[in-house]
Amino acid sequence: MATRKEVAEHLDLSVVSISKLVEKGVLDVKIGRNPMDLDVCRKNYINYLRQLGGYNKRTGSGDIAEEKTRLTRAQANKAELEVSELEAELIPADLVQSTWIDYIANVRAKLLGLPSRIAHQVITVDKYAEAEIIIKEKVYEALDELVNEGIPAKYRKSITESESDVEESIQSEDIWMGRQV
């Protein structure tokens, strides 16, 4: 059996720290003159430190092998992301954000410029259908200028696929509206 001072020296702590650990219930104090067993105190203190560090003896949390496994998994995930980026399947978020900010600003400028570019042409036509054709041509012209700007060239797969989708949707709209294709 040992006193608090002896336990403090054994654990390389101050007597005040030992008293705080006793108050927390980490170290056992026998009734009487407060004698303590050094081995029990050491084991209890080690277990207390393990709890603080998140280590669990049964589950192995904090085990070096488990940490290596986590590191290996993280490195594998990083490598997969890098391969996806190299294969143009993944685009970096900051690149997407900056590209789309520029893209939207460009679209806005082109669409805001449409009325001044087509007003003088539309005012001279006599039929509604002719005005509609002029407006549609200018809108598609503006959109065609933008078609290649949405995705950086490095990551662009095929613009022809999106162009054919646009053409199909235009034809579907014309058919739905009862216009001749």
Side-chain angles (χ1 to χ4, degrees), residues 21 24 26 43-53:
L21 291 171
K24 289 181 181 178
V26 174
K43 288 178 184 175
N44 287 347
Y45 185 62
I46 290 171
N47 288 334
Y48 172 71
L49 292 176
R50 283 179 178 160
Q51 282 180 331
L52 289 179

Side-chain angles (χ1 to χ4, degrees), residues 34 36 59 87 125 147:
N34 297 336
M36 294 188 227
T59 63
E87 292 176 347
V125 297
V147 99

Side-chain angles (χ1 to χ4, degrees), residues 7-139:
V7 171
E9 288 174 6
H10 182 71
L11 296 177
D12 195 27
L13 297 172
S14 68
V15 176
V16 174
S17 297
I18 296 297
S19 297
K20 288 181 182 178
L21 291 171
V22 169
E23 288 174 12
K24 289 181 181 178
V26 174
L27 302 178
D28 272 343
V29 178
K30 305 278 188 227
I31 302 192
R33 291 189 58 215
N34 297 336
M36 294 188 227
D37 184 5
L38 282 178
D39 290 333
V40 171
C41 288
R42 184 178 56 251
K43 288 178 184 175
N44 287 347
Y45 185 62
I46 290 171
N47 288 334
Y48 172 71
L49 292 176
R50 283 179 178 160
Q51 282 180 331
L52 289 179
Y55 179 81
N56 186 338
K57 201 172 183 182
R58 289 188 184 127
T59 63
S61 297
D63 184 19
I64 191 74
E66 183 178 327
E67 294 301 320
K68 283 183 180 179
T69 303
R70 286 181 48 211
L71 176 63
T72 304
R73 185 180 314 120
Q75 289 171 338
N77 290 342
K78 180 183 176 194
E80 286 179 20
L81 291 175
E82 289 172 351
V83 168
S84 294
E85 186 176 343
L86 291 173
E87 292 176 347
E89 293 176 1
L90 183 68
I91 303 172
D94 55 343
L95 179 62
V96 171
Q97 183 178 8
S98 65
T99 301
W100 273 91
I101 287 171
D102 294 343
Y103 183 70
I104 296 302
N106 198 5
V107 168
R108 181 179 184 274
K110 289 186 184 307
L111 293 178
L112 289 175
L114 278 178
S116 63
R117 288 178 47 205
I118 61 174
H120 65 280
Q121 294 175 353
V122 173
I123 205 165
T124 61
V125 297
D126 295 330
K127 296 182 182 175
Y128 172 80
E130 291 175 5
E132 184 179 6
I133 290 170
I134 292 171
I135 293 170
K136 188 183 264 190
E137 285 175 0
K138 294 300 179 181
V139 168

